[in-house]
Amino acid sequence: MEIRNIGFYFNEVSGALSGAQLTLRTLANLSGGAAVNVNILTHLEKNRLKNLFDLTGNFSVAKSQAKEDVLSIFNIDASGLEDFQQMDITQSGDSNAVLLAVSAILQEMAIQRAAASGGGVEAELSAIMSSIITD
């Protein structure tokens, strides 16, 4: 099932609430009844997960490979890390620290691009994520 979250977010780099809403998505298997967090990593993973699932027919295998593929972009080893949907930047732990780090990296990139172009940070963040997803 696809889950979409639209709303304002706290930018950890600027220390302020976003000036515009952001849309983040994920694909989730809800049969286990576990809570699902939607975040930057789930958003980056979504299309890769769908493509891998279409190839393998196995959601768990596709999810594991998609996690590795996304984290490799940031040169982060996926071993021992929780599923992206379980990560929460308000909690402690290595997995949550990875989410915070990736979020901060992308937000800093967006801030720099917005300053150079005169555009909005949220628009730049969306463009950066779209570019990563497309690659």
Side-chain angles (χ1 to χ4, degrees):
M1 166 178 268
E2 179 174 343
I3 300 170
R4 181 176 46 169
N5 191 7
I6 303 169
F8 295 93
Y9 66 94
F10 182 76
N11 182 323
E12 296 85 9
V13 175
S14 69
L17 191 62
S18 63
Q21 293 184 0
L22 188 66
T23 300
L24 298 176
R25 293 176 167 81
T26 191
L27 292 178
N29 180 352
L30 300 177
S31 63
V36 173
N37 293 325
V38 180
N39 56 55
I40 283 181
L41 289 174
T42 65
H43 187 74
L44 295 177
E45 163 191 70
K46 181 191 160 281
N47 286 356
R48 181 69 178 143
L49 173 57
K50 182 183 180 325
N51 290 337
L52 289 168
F53 178 72
D54 289 346
L55 288 173
T56 66
N58 185 313
F59 192 79
S60 295
V61 168
K63 193 140 185 66
S64 178
Q65 183 62 52
K67 180 173 84 170
E68 288 181 26
D69 293 346
V70 169
L71 291 177
S72 72
I73 296 166
F74 302 96
N75 201 26
I76 297 172
D77 182 7
S79 301
L81 295 179
E82 291 181 72
D83 183 277
F84 294 157
Q85 296 170 349
Q86 303 308 311
M87 294 180 181
D88 180 347
I89 62 171
T90 66
Q91 302 299 314
S92 63
D94 291 344
S95 296
N96 302 320
V98 165
L99 173 60
L100 179 59
V102 169
S103 179
I105 289 166
L106 295 181
Q107 288 180 76
E108 181 61 33
M109 289 173 62
I111 290 168
Q112 290 178 14
R113 284 177 53 170
S117 70
V121 173
E122 296 80 8
E124 292 295 344
L125 181 57
S126 290
I128 290 167
M129 289 190 299
S130 292
S131 178
I132 292 170
I133 290 167
T134 302
D135 285 349

